[in-house]
Amino acid sequence: MSSDLQKGTRLVLGVESSCDETGLALVRIQPGQPPELLAHALHSQIDMHQAYGGVVPELASRDHIRRVVPLARQVLGQAGQVLQDIDLIAYTRGPGLAGALLVGAGFAAALGVALDKPLLGVHHLEGHLLSPFLSVDPPTFPFVALLVSGGHTQLMRVDGVGRYTLLGETVDDAAGEAFDKSAKLMGLPYPGGPHLSRLAQEGRDDAFDLPRPMMHSANLDFSFAGLKTAVRTNLVRMGWLDDELRLKDPASRPVLADLAASTQAAIVEVLVRKSLAALKRTGLQRLVVAGGVGANQRLRDQLDEAARRRGGRVHYPELHLCTDNGAMIALAAAMRVQAGLAQPQHAATFDVMPRWELASI
Ligand code: KG4
Ligand code: ZN
């Protein structure tokens, strides 16, 4: 089936539903050409989950059900294609929330049966990792990838599509989790990362002395749980824990901005230091940054500067493709097809993998 898909022009539909974003996209593959994004559409559930301070899995699944069909119609309309034009249906197989994943997988399978087209289950992190190939300045293999999302923080050596070696990862919280949990303690809305980094612009990086656990360890692993605890300790000391009103108080806001800036500086410094260590250890020059935290401007500025100093390059996905989306799922499937690595399944036999190691694929 794979060789058949490698011939001629093919259309891949991508479906992402692993967490709180429903993403659909159409990517075209032609032999000898890079995959081309024809259309993508996204519905973010952020507003819905905000009231609960985090993702409510059952609500997420129900909302994916509501959104997936209209979004599929939208991308087909945008690309001027019809359902019968689709050659392969790619869906996020994992990791992620089981119920949310099942909605995307179930939709993909139903469509596959109806159209008699094959399915391909894609690893969510492979989608993130390959997403810079849709940018105007795509990387070339091999490179080191820093994957920084809400659930994962990993450094990988990437030698080609499907050739991923884990170099290091977090032993506790993910970088996105460190942003989100610290922000929540400060009374900022969910998801905390973007809110915290916006507030940090008003503050001083060195106002609070926060820990950078494992920054100088000999390996390429990370640890962020101690940072969150330090943020909590500072807030408890000031009597401001989980206090949403503090931000509106003109006397407190600069102090919270200082805490936000110091938190961001600690996370970014560790990520930069370890990324550079990974480049040094592998002898590679190119770094790819992917996942939601890759949208952080401070991280981008510091990585660019550090890479420039050692004559290397950093590649990012387009800003709107940093967080979860269907384009990266369609792209990963397309690149697997082009590399001859895709093993599409018959639509009647789909599954999901809520826990799934990228290095194992
Ligand atoms: O990749 P992603 O959309 O979802 C997962 O697969 O987890 O990443 C979401 C994470 C959240 O933790 C969010 O707070 C963080 O990315 N994030 C940011 C920024 N934008 C998103 N963190 C720091 N600064 C940002 N600008
Ligand atoms: Zn993600």
Side-chain angles (χ1 to χ4, degrees):
M1 229 189 282
S2 154
S3 58
D4 205 40
L5 282 166
Q6 280 175 285
K7 291 180 200 142
T9 302
R10 301 292 181 198
L11 195 62
V12 182
L13 176 72
V15 184
E16 155 64 28
S17 70
S18 66
C19 189
D20 58 351
E21 257 110 23
T22 322
L24 275 286
L26 283 170
V27 162
R28 182 159 56 201
I29 342 176
Q30 297 179 79
Q33 306 258 345
E36 183 191 355
L37 179 62
L38 299 186
H40 86 105
L42 190 75
H43 176 78
S44 169
Q45 304 175 355
I46 283 177
D47 291 347
M48 184 179 75
H49 296 296
Q50 213 151 42
Y52 305 93
V55 178
V56 183
E58 179 60 25
L59 293 182
S61 308
R62 291 179 195 204
D63 202 58
H64 287 307
I65 293 173
R66 274 193 291 271
R67 307 291 173 181
V68 70
V69 173
L71 287 170
R73 287 212 176 95
Q74 195 177 324
V75 290
L76 285 165
Q78 272 172 27
Q81 306 284 329
V82 294
L83 277 177
Q84 284 69 22
D85 295 329
I86 296 169
D87 297 294
L88 174 68
I89 305 156
Y91 67 94
T92 305
R93 188 177 173 212
L97 301 170
L101 288 167
L102 276 169
V103 175
F107 167 76
L111 200 57
V113 168
L115 300 173
D116 194 23
K117 295 291 161 67
L119 297 187
L120 187 63
V122 171
H123 197 291
H124 180 83
L125 293 181
E126 183 173 41
H128 276 303
L129 192 141
L130 297 176
S131 59
F133 283 92
L134 283 175
S135 70
V136 287
D137 177 29
T140 50
F141 298 114
F143 54 78
V144 169
L146 172 68
L147 283 174
V148 270
S149 69
H152 293 84
T153 300
Q154 298 186 333
L155 278 162
M156 315 274 311
R157 182 191 165 104
V158 180
D159 286 290
V161 179
R163 296 171 61 199
Y164 313 128
T165 313
L166 184 67
L167 301 172
E169 63 183 333
T170 183
V171 298
D172 42 51
D173 290 352
E177 221 174 335
F179 270 108
D180 293 346
K181 287 180 175 172
S182 302
K184 195 169 181 205
L185 295 169
M186 291 179 214
L188 293 171
Y190 159 88
H195 290 279
L196 189 147
S197 79
R198 227 168 290 135
L199 180 61
Q201 287 171 3
E202 302 168 29
R204 293 166 299 152
D205 294 352
D206 57 357
F208 286 81
D209 186 19
L210 298 175
R212 282 129 171 92
M214 295 184 74
M215 190 158 80
H216 299 290
S217 66
N219 57 27
L220 295 172
D221 289 337
F222 305 85
S223 166
F224 291 107
L227 175 62
K228 169 193 66 194
T229 308
V231 169
R232 168 187 282 273
T233 308
N234 277 288
L235 287 165
V236 168
R237 184 171 47 77
M238 298 186 287
W240 295 0
L241 192 62
D242 292 326
D243 188 347
E244 290 160 29
L245 297 176
R246 280 289 156 196
L247 263 183
K248 300 199 173 75
D249 173 358
S252 317
R253 188 179 173 98
V255 183
L256 277 174
D258 279 347
L259 185 56
S262 303
T263 305
Q264 175 174 262
I267 298 170
V268 167
E269 192 180 342
V270 177
L271 293 176
V272 171
R273 184 73 68 102
K274 293 275 173 165
S275 300
L276 291 180
L279 287 174
K280 203 166 169 195
R281 182 171 300 184
T282 55
L284 298 176
Q285 292 296 327
R286 281 179 294 277
L287 179 72
V288 158
V289 182
V293 181
N296 186 276
Q297 196 55 48
R298 164 86 188 208
L299 177 65
R300 288 180 172 224
D301 292 345
Q302 299 234 327
L303 280 174
D304 287 343
E305 198 189 315
R308 213 174 15 248
R309 256 186 273 125
R310 65 188 298 281
R313 284 287 317 275
V314 192
H315 297 264
Y316 307 91
E318 301 288 329
L319 213 48
H320 66 285
L321 298 181
C322 272
T323 45
D324 293 349
N325 63 82
M328 67 184 198
I329 301 305
L331 172 77
M335 290 182 76
R336 283 204 152 243
V337 167
Q338 288 190 319
L341 291 174
Q343 288 171 329
Q345 321 127 235
H346 189 268
T349 57
F350 75 95
D351 67 352
V352 297
M353 304 268 280
R355 295 176 73 88
W356 191 13
E357 293 298 327
L358 179 58
S360 72
I361 69 173

